[in-house]
Amino acid sequence: MKKLPIGISSFEEIRTGGYYYVDKTYFVKKLVEEGKYYFLSRPRRFGKSLFVDTLKSAFEGKKELFEGLYLENNWNWQEKYPVVRISFVKDTLSVDDLKNRVRSIIKEKAREEEVEIEERESIGTMLENLVKGLYRKNRRKVVLLVDEYDKAIIDNIEDREKAERIRKELKEFYSVLKDLDQYLHFVFITGISKFAKVSLFSGLNQLNDISLNKEYGDICGYTEEELIQVFGELIKGEEELEKIREWYNGYCWLGSRIYNPFDVLLYMENRVYRSYWFKTGNPEFLVKVIREKGYYIPNLEEVVVDDNVLDMFDIEEIRIEALLFQTGYLTIKEMIEEEDWLEYRLCYPNKEVKVALNSYIGDSIWSEKSWIREVRKIFVEGKLLELENVLNQVYGSVPNIWYRDVGRYDSFYCALFYVLLVSSGLEVIAEDVTSIGRIDLTVISKGKVYIIELKVDKEGAIEQIKEKRYYEKYLDREEIYLVGIVIDSKERKVKKMDIERYR
């Protein structure tokens, strides 16, 4: 039985250590044939580092590692190139940390290749001297691979002055590349965010951003075909596959629907559905931005943005949609093209992200986790009469800062209710579209459908459900319940709750 490559980003270790491997080497050949300078943005733990290491092994001519893979018979193994790989994966606390790490990488490579370079204050100058030295020694152009180019900025994004100092240092570092073209054979840069071109790579106009190129949409992560082909022996039938799909599939960069590789491997190891990928990150900054901008959380069910937004990531003005997309909390549901206009419909990729993100947001608002279990039990068992008490506890516990400016609006109370419901793992649809309106919240559990309308400081919640016949959308279900809730914003509690069973 092969081993699961959990946390391993060394191509050589995977290929020689008896691990499962999903063959992505087709993309190595495609990249080299079609260009020279590339940029790829993908969320953390999606296999970027492994792919960079695969490129390194190919350019170094390590044919034995590619036995049985696509590239084995589709690559000129006689041609070998000197490779400089710079990784920013480790945490960076300051500009000095950054410069010391790069100096260390450059000096180590110089020692390996017996190339003499002087230590300079400018890390860009040191890189330039290394590339030229390798070119002269090997009489071959150099391959430059940069992994997680932006991590130093992301690590310090809350300290914007420090993040800006690091950005400026990196911009100077990358600026030397434009004058090294004659010495470079291939350049591949990966990261999470897209500061690319405008603020970091301004001099590197030929850098080809393949992040949303559908021909490279499957370059990281697992397609369903790959999942079944490589891990099929570990999947116990269609029922388990459907559950894995619900939890960990759904990412899209205009190619196939992609499974999160980190989640898949951890699930195969533990056989328990958990938010493995989510727990390796820290979305505290993201939640802070959501609160500062007063973002309506249920809108994350479906976000429509133009193509420019997905390319934006500016230290001074962070667009929440770009942040969520680039970090993997939203993905592309649909691309809409109309003559000279292009926009994207974004959504949660899967159950893991939807439930875990809302749970995290909920934890930042209230501290009592028993409410999540209680609300789940209420809807699973149909004990709706207990709902008013739970909601009153929730609304009464929310800190004043969350009520500021928006505490009198229907949307605010609806958003809190939505976060509570989604955190419980229930199937929840916000702004559920019908033929003549939108349902505030729809909850589906055990064959039952709950249609919920919420109003603040005004009557008529359940009457609106009846008047607009929201229930007609779910007439194929056995049980339908209408739930009208009226909130008193001054008291921050439920003033009235009407519950009726339609059928």
Side-chain angles (χ1 to χ4, degrees), residues 31 38-42 188 208-214 216-217 219 253:
L31 286 166
Y38 291 98
F39 171 79
L40 174 69
S41 168
R42 285 293 185 272
F188 191 79
N208 181 10
D209 182 358
I210 59 171
S211 304
L212 289 180
N213 183 328
K214 62 183 178 182
Y216 293 96
I219 196 170
W253 292 276

Side-chain angles (χ1 to χ4, degrees), residues 9 49 52 84-92 98 101-102 105 144-152 173-174 190:
S9 56
S49 297
V52 167
V84 176
R85 179 181 178 179
I86 297 174
S87 173
F88 292 103
V89 171
K90 294 182 180 179
D91 292 344
T92 300
L98 173 76
R101 178 165 300 126
V102 174
I105 293 170
L144 177 63
L145 307 174
V146 180
D147 193 15
E148 302 287 9
Y149 84 99
D150 57 341
K151 189 173 185 299
F173 175 66
Y174 295 121
T190 79

Side-chain angles (χ1 to χ4, degrees), residues 159-174:
D159 186 340
R160 297 191 179 181
E161 288 186 8
K162 185 190 292 184
E164 178 60 20
R165 289 196 299 272
I166 292 173
R167 187 197 68 80
K168 287 181 178 178
E169 185 65 38
L170 285 171
K171 183 175 182 179
E172 179 185 338
F173 175 66
Y174 295 121

Side-chain angles (χ1 to χ4, degrees), residues 98-285:
L98 173 76
K99 295 171 76 170
N100 289 336
R101 178 165 300 126
V102 174
R103 285 195 191 100
S104 176
I105 293 170
I106 291 174
K107 287 191 292 185
E108 182 180 350
K109 184 64 179 178
R111 282 194 299 269
E112 286 177 7
E113 296 284 343
E114 298 181 345
V115 173
E116 292 187 11
I117 61 169
E118 295 180 10
E119 182 164 344
R120 299 289 188 90
E121 174 63 24
S122 168
I123 53 177
T125 301
M126 288 184 69
L127 175 64
E128 180 180 2
N129 292 339
L130 176 63
V131 169
K132 289 179 178 179
L134 290 172
Y135 175 80
R136 285 192 295 267
K137 181 191 174 185
N138 295 279
R139 297 183 180 180
R140 284 274 185 183
K141 291 187 176 184
V142 177
V143 171
L144 177 63
L145 307 174
V146 180
D147 193 15
E148 302 287 9
Y149 84 99
D150 57 341
K151 189 173 185 299
I153 302 174
I154 299 297
D155 284 348
N156 296 280
I157 196 68
E158 290 197 63
D159 186 340
R160 297 191 179 181
E161 288 186 8
K162 185 190 292 184
E164 178 60 20
R165 289 196 299 272
I166 292 173
R167 187 197 68 80
K168 287 181 178 178
E169 185 65 38
L170 285 171
K171 183 175 182 179
E172 179 185 338
F173 175 66
Y174 295 121
S175 69
V176 304
L177 297 182
K178 63 183 178 181
D179 296 324
L180 290 175
D181 183 65
Q182 62 181 311
Y183 305 103
L184 293 170
H185 174 67
F186 183 85
V187 176
F188 191 79
I189 301 171
T190 79
I192 293 175
S193 62
K194 295 180 72 174
F195 296 100
K197 295 186 180 179
V198 174
S199 61
L200 269 180
F201 306 117
S202 56
L204 204 58
N205 297 323
Q206 66 270 50
L207 191 66
N208 181 10
D209 182 358
I210 59 171
S211 304
L212 289 180
N213 183 328
K214 62 183 178 182
E215 293 187 6
Y216 293 96
D218 303 349
I219 196 170
C220 290
Y222 305 151
T223 66
E224 184 152 308
E225 181 181 354
E226 290 168 339
L227 178 74
I228 295 170
Q229 181 181 14
V230 177
F231 302 101
E233 63 185 0
L234 303 179
I235 300 173
K236 302 168 185 175
E238 182 60 36
E239 185 175 338
E240 183 178 32
L241 177 61
E242 177 58 36
K243 193 83 170 177
I244 296 171
R245 187 185 296 132
E246 177 188 9
W247 270 82
Y248 306 127
N249 191 22
Y251 291 91
C252 180
W253 292 276
L254 304 183
S256 306
R257 288 285 159 187
I258 297 293
Y259 285 83
N260 185 316
F262 186 78
D263 278 321
V264 167
L265 295 177
L266 265 294
Y267 168 75
M268 295 294 183
E269 175 76 11
N270 298 297
R271 294 290 167 176
V272 178
Y273 297 100
R274 291 289 182 269
S275 302
Y276 301 110
W277 174 82
F278 185 90
K279 290 177 181 177
T280 64
N282 180 7
E284 182 179 350
F285 175 68

Side-chain angles (χ1 to χ4, degrees), residues 323-350:
L323 179 64
L324 288 162
F325 173 71
Q326 292 175 26
T327 51
Y329 297 104
L330 291 179
T331 195
I332 295 174
K333 180 179 182 180
E334 181 185 9
M335 182 175 74
I336 305 164
E337 292 182 278
E338 296 180 3
E339 296 182 359
D340 57 349
W341 183 254
L342 176 64
E343 63 184 16
Y344 298 96
R345 207 177 299 276
L346 309 180
C347 64
Y348 294 113
N350 49 43

